[in-house]
Amino acid sequence: MPRRAPTHHHHVYVVLLSDDVWNEPAFRAANPEHDILKPCLYVGMTGLDPDLRFDRHMAGIQANRFVLKYGVRLLPELYQVYNPMPYSAACEMEVELAIGLREAGYGVWQA
């Protein structure tokens, strides 16, 4: 029996956070170079569809506290090009995407 090629089903995703997240000391401390003209974001990685993962955050299921309290919507224009990918690549891309967005002036939380 031939082996099936593994399917890649992991994704990185980016959530727009409301500006009120800036009032959180931990968020401010993580983003000392934040350009106040750019939005605040959450960068994550999941084995689920990003839309489903966002819904789970907003329902409080395995939710990041900043997404639960300040999540507005997904920003697929910042991540769609990378998806889907293998688990190991998604782990690396989550960190790299967060670093790149932070270097571009965005306020970023990545757990």
Side-chain angles (χ1 to χ4, degrees):
M1 191 175 218
R3 294 182 82 184
R4 285 188 335 174
T7 58
H8 303 307
H9 66 276
H10 286 84
H11 304 266
V12 291
Y13 61 99
V14 179
V15 176
L16 174 64
L17 302 175
S18 87
D19 292 339
D20 292 339
V21 74
W22 191 246
N23 295 323
E24 297 277 354
F27 194 92
R28 277 197 319 273
N31 293 283
E33 304 295 320
H34 176 233
D35 176 348
I36 61 168
L37 299 177
K38 293 196 176 182
C40 294
L41 310 171
Y42 173 83
V43 176
M45 187 232 44
T46 183
L48 303 172
D49 178 89
D51 290 315
L52 177 57
R53 182 65 185 107
F54 178 70
D55 291 345
R56 291 172 61 97
H57 275 292
M58 299 309 288
I61 301 167
Q62 296 175 319
N64 173 271
R65 66 186 175 110
F66 294 139
V67 177
L68 178 62
K69 190 170 181 181
Y70 302 106
V72 176
R73 64 182 175 87
L74 290 170
L75 293 174
E77 61 273 18
L78 295 179
Y79 63 83
Q80 274 184 329
V81 66
Y82 306 114
N83 295 327
M85 65 186 87
Y87 174 79
S88 60
C91 290
E92 290 178 23
M93 181 54 68
E94 176 188 10
V95 173
E96 293 299 319
L97 184 56
I99 289 169
L101 291 168
R102 190 174 281 122
E103 287 176 350
Y106 292 91
V108 178
W109 191 262
Q110 180 262 324

Short mmCIF file of all heavy atoms in Angstrom, two decimals, residues 39-68:
data_model
loop_
_atom_site.label_atom_id
_atom_site.label_comp_id
_atom_site.label_asym_id
_atom_site.label_seq_id
_atom_site.Cartn_x
_atom_site.Cartn_y
_atom_site.Cartn_z
N PRO A 39 -1.32 49.60 14.34
CA PRO A 39 -2.17 48.88 15.28
C PRO A 39 -1.41 47.87 16.15
O PRO A 39 -0.27 47.53 15.88
CB PRO A 39 -3.17 48.15 14.36
CG PRO A 39 -2.48 48.03 13.06
CD PRO A 39 -1.57 49.22 12.95
N CYS A 40 -2.11 47.41 17.16
CA CYS A 40 -1.61 46.36 18.03
C CYS A 40 -2.15 45.02 17.54
O CYS A 40 -3.30 44.93 17.10
CB CYS A 40 -2.04 46.61 19.47
SG CYS A 40 -1.30 48.11 20.17
N LEU A 41 -1.30 43.98 17.63
CA LEU A 41 -1.62 42.68 17.04
C LEU A 41 -1.29 41.54 17.99
O LEU A 41 -0.43 41.69 18.86
CB LEU A 41 -0.80 42.48 15.76
CG LEU A 41 -0.80 43.59 14.72
CD1 LEU A 41 0.24 43.30 13.64
CD2 LEU A 41 -2.19 43.75 14.12
N TYR A 42 -1.94 40.42 17.76
CA TYR A 42 -1.57 39.16 18.38
C TYR A 42 -1.18 38.21 17.26
O TYR A 42 -1.90 38.10 16.26
CB TYR A 42 -2.75 38.56 19.16
CG TYR A 42 -2.48 37.19 19.68
CD1 TYR A 42 -1.79 36.98 20.87
CD2 TYR A 42 -2.92 36.06 18.98
CE1 TYR A 42 -1.53 35.70 21.34
CE2 TYR A 42 -2.66 34.78 19.45
CZ TYR A 42 -1.97 34.61 20.63
OH TYR A 42 -1.71 33.34 21.10
N VAL A 43 -0.06 37.52 17.40
CA VAL A 43 0.39 36.54 16.41
C VAL A 43 0.33 35.17 17.06
O VAL A 43 0.88 34.97 18.16
CB VAL A 43 1.81 36.84 15.91
CG1 VAL A 43 2.29 35.75 14.96
CG2 VAL A 43 1.86 38.20 15.23
N GLY A 44 -0.33 34.23 16.40
CA GLY A 44 -0.44 32.88 16.94
C GLY A 44 -0.22 31.82 15.88
O GLY A 44 -0.02 32.11 14.70
N MET A 45 -0.25 30.58 16.33
CA MET A 45 -0.07 29.41 15.48
C MET A 45 -1.09 28.36 15.90
O MET A 45 -1.39 28.24 17.07
CB MET A 45 1.35 28.87 15.66
CG MET A 45 1.66 27.80 14.70
SD MET A 45 2.26 26.30 15.24
CE MET A 45 1.76 25.47 16.48
N THR A 46 -1.65 27.65 14.92
CA THR A 46 -2.69 26.68 15.24
C THR A 46 -2.72 25.54 14.23
O THR A 46 -2.29 25.70 13.09
CB THR A 46 -4.07 27.37 15.28
OG1 THR A 46 -5.06 26.43 15.66
CG2 THR A 46 -4.44 27.98 13.93
N GLY A 47 -3.25 24.42 14.66
CA GLY A 47 -3.53 23.31 13.77
C GLY A 47 -4.95 23.39 13.22
O GLY A 47 -5.36 22.55 12.42
N LEU A 48 -5.69 24.39 13.66
CA LEU A 48 -7.07 24.61 13.21
C LEU A 48 -7.10 25.65 12.10
O LEU A 48 -6.11 26.35 11.87
CB LEU A 48 -7.92 25.11 14.38
CG LEU A 48 -7.99 24.25 15.62
CD1 LEU A 48 -8.72 24.98 16.74
CD2 LEU A 48 -8.65 22.92 15.31
N ASP A 49 -8.23 25.80 11.47
CA ASP A 49 -8.44 26.91 10.56
C ASP A 49 -8.36 28.20 11.38
O ASP A 49 -8.91 28.26 12.48
CB ASP A 49 -9.82 26.78 9.90
CG ASP A 49 -10.10 27.93 8.98
OD1 ASP A 49 -9.75 27.84 7.80
OD2 ASP A 49 -10.67 28.94 9.47
N PRO A 50 -7.66 29.23 10.91
CA PRO A 50 -7.55 30.46 11.70
C PRO A 50 -8.89 31.07 12.12
O PRO A 50 -9.00 31.60 13.23
CB PRO A 50 -6.77 31.40 10.78
CG PRO A 50 -5.92 30.48 9.96
CD PRO A 50 -6.80 29.28 9.72
N ASP A 51 -9.91 30.98 11.27
CA ASP A 51 -11.23 31.51 11.65
C ASP A 51 -11.79 30.77 12.86
O ASP A 51 -12.33 31.39 13.79
CB ASP A 51 -12.22 31.40 10.49
CG ASP A 51 -11.89 32.37 9.36
OD1 ASP A 51 -11.59 33.55 9.66
OD2 ASP A 51 -11.94 31.95 8.20
N LEU A 52 -11.65 29.46 12.86
CA LEU A 52 -12.13 28.66 13.99
C LEU A 52 -11.31 28.97 15.24
O LEU A 52 -11.85 29.11 16.34
CB LEU A 52 -12.06 27.17 13.65
CG LEU A 52 -12.45 26.21 14.78
CD1 LEU A 52 -13.86 26.48 15.28
CD2 LEU A 52 -12.31 24.77 14.30
N ARG A 53 -10.00 29.11 15.08
CA ARG A 53 -9.15 29.41 16.24
C ARG A 53 -9.52 30.76 16.83
O ARG A 53 -9.59 30.92 18.05
CB ARG A 53 -7.67 29.38 15.83
CG ARG A 53 -6.74 29.64 17.00
CD ARG A 53 -6.84 28.52 18.04
NE ARG A 53 -6.04 28.82 19.21
CZ ARG A 53 -6.56 29.18 20.40
NH1 ARG A 53 -7.87 29.31 20.55
NH2 ARG A 53 -5.77 29.43 21.41
N PHE A 54 -9.78 31.75 15.99
CA PHE A 54 -10.19 33.07 16.49
C PHE A 54 -11.51 32.96 17.26
O PHE A 54 -11.65 33.53 18.34
CB PHE A 54 -10.31 34.06 15.34
CG PHE A 54 -10.78 35.43 15.77
CD1 PHE A 54 -9.95 36.25 16.52
CD2 PHE A 54 -12.04 35.89 15.44
CE1 PHE A 54 -10.37 37.51 16.93
CE2 PHE A 54 -12.47 37.14 15.83
CZ PHE A 54 -11.63 37.96 16.58
N ASP A 55 -12.45 32.21 16.71
CA ASP A 55 -13.74 32.02 17.39
C ASP A 55 -13.53 31.38 18.76
O ASP A 55 -14.20 31.73 19.73
CB ASP A 55 -14.68 31.15 16.55
CG ASP A 55 -15.17 31.86 15.30
OD1 ASP A 55 -15.03 33.10 15.20
OD2 ASP A 55 -15.70 31.17 14.40
N ARG A 56 -12.60 30.43 18.85
CA ARG A 56 -12.32 29.77 20.13
C ARG A 56 -11.70 30.76 21.13
O ARG A 56 -12.05 30.76 22.30
CB ARG A 56 -11.43 28.55 19.93
CG ARG A 56 -12.18 27.41 19.20
CD ARG A 56 -11.26 26.27 18.83
NE ARG A 56 -10.65 25.65 19.98
CZ ARG A 56 -11.09 24.53 20.58
NH1 ARG A 56 -12.14 23.91 20.10
NH2 ARG A 56 -10.45 24.04 21.63
N HIS A 57 -10.79 31.60 20.65
CA HIS A 57 -10.25 32.65 21.52
C HIS A 57 -11.39 33.48 22.10
O HIS A 57 -11.46 33.70 23.31
CB HIS A 57 -9.34 33.61 20.74
CG HIS A 57 -7.92 33.21 20.59
ND1 HIS A 57 -7.03 33.14 21.63
CD2 HIS A 57 -7.20 32.91 19.47
CE1 HIS A 57 -5.83 32.81 21.17
NE2 HIS A 57 -5.91 32.66 19.86
N MET A 58 -12.27 33.94 21.22
CA MET A 58 -13.33 34.86 21.63
C MET A 58 -14.36 34.18 22.54
O MET A 58 -15.04 34.86 23.31
CB MET A 58 -14.01 35.48 20.40
CG MET A 58 -13.04 36.30 19.53
SD MET A 58 -12.06 37.53 20.44
CE MET A 58 -13.32 38.73 20.81
N ALA A 59 -14.45 32.85 22.46
CA ALA A 59 -15.35 32.09 23.34
C ALA A 59 -14.67 31.71 24.65
O ALA A 59 -15.29 31.08 25.52
CB ALA A 59 -15.84 30.84 22.62
N GLY A 60 -13.40 32.08 24.80
CA GLY A 60 -12.68 31.77 26.02
C GLY A 60 -12.09 30.38 26.08
O GLY A 60 -11.68 29.91 27.14
N ILE A 61 -12.03 29.69 24.94
CA ILE A 61 -11.51 28.32 24.87
C ILE A 61 -10.03 28.39 24.50
O ILE A 61 -9.69 28.81 23.40
CB ILE A 61 -12.29 27.48 23.86
CG1 ILE A 61 -13.77 27.44 24.23
CG2 ILE A 61 -11.70 26.07 23.75
CD1 ILE A 61 -14.67 26.92 23.14
N GLN A 62 -9.16 28.00 25.42
CA GLN A 62 -7.71 28.10 25.22
C GLN A 62 -7.34 29.48 24.70
O GLN A 62 -6.55 29.63 23.77
CB GLN A 62 -7.21 27.01 24.26
CG GLN A 62 -7.40 25.61 24.81
CD GLN A 62 -7.01 24.56 23.80
OE1 GLN A 62 -7.32 24.67 22.62
NE2 GLN A 62 -6.34 23.52 24.27
N ALA A 63 -7.94 30.49 25.31
CA ALA A 63 -7.82 31.86 24.81
C ALA A 63 -6.62 32.59 25.39
O ALA A 63 -6.31 32.46 26.57
CB ALA A 63 -9.09 32.64 25.14
N ASN A 64 -5.97 33.36 24.55
CA ASN A 64 -5.00 34.32 25.03
C ASN A 64 -5.79 35.46 25.67
O ASN A 64 -6.79 35.92 25.09
CB ASN A 64 -4.15 34.84 23.87
CG ASN A 64 -3.24 35.96 24.32
OD1 ASN A 64 -3.63 37.12 24.27
ND2 ASN A 64 -2.05 35.61 24.77
N ARG A 65 -5.35 35.95 26.81
CA ARG A 65 -6.12 36.96 27.53
C ARG A 65 -6.28 38.25 26.75
O ARG A 65 -7.33 38.91 26.83
CB ARG A 65 -5.52 37.23 28.90
CG ARG A 65 -4.15 37.88 28.88
CD ARG A 65 -3.56 37.96 30.29
NE ARG A 65 -2.22 38.48 30.28
CZ ARG A 65 -1.88 39.67 30.75
NH1 ARG A 65 -2.80 40.46 31.25
NH2 ARG A 65 -0.64 40.07 30.70
N PHE A 66 -5.26 38.63 25.97
CA PHE A 66 -5.38 39.86 25.19
C PHE A 66 -6.35 39.70 24.04
O PHE A 66 -7.08 40.63 23.70
CB PHE A 66 -4.01 40.32 24.68
CG PHE A 66 -3.06 40.75 25.77
CD1 PHE A 66 -1.73 40.40 25.71
CD2 PHE A 66 -3.49 41.48 26.86
CE1 PHE A 66 -0.83 40.80 26.70
CE2 PHE A 66 -2.61 41.88 27.87
CZ PHE A 66 -1.29 41.54 27.79
N VAL A 67 -6.37 38.53 23.41
CA VAL A 67 -7.32 38.31 22.32
C VAL A 67 -8.74 38.26 22.87
O VAL A 67 -9.67 38.86 22.32
CB VAL A 67 -6.99 37.03 21.52
CG1 VAL A 67 -8.03 36.79 20.44
CG2 VAL A 67 -5.60 37.13 20.91
N LEU A 68 -8.93 37.56 23.98
CA LEU A 68 -10.25 37.46 24.58
C LEU A 68 -10.82 38.83 24.93
O LEU A 68 -11.98 39.13 24.65
CB LEU A 68 -10.19 36.57 25.83
CG LEU A 68 -11.49 36.39 26.61
CD1 LEU A 68 -12.55 35.70 25.74
CD2 LEU A 68 -11.23 35.59 27.87
#
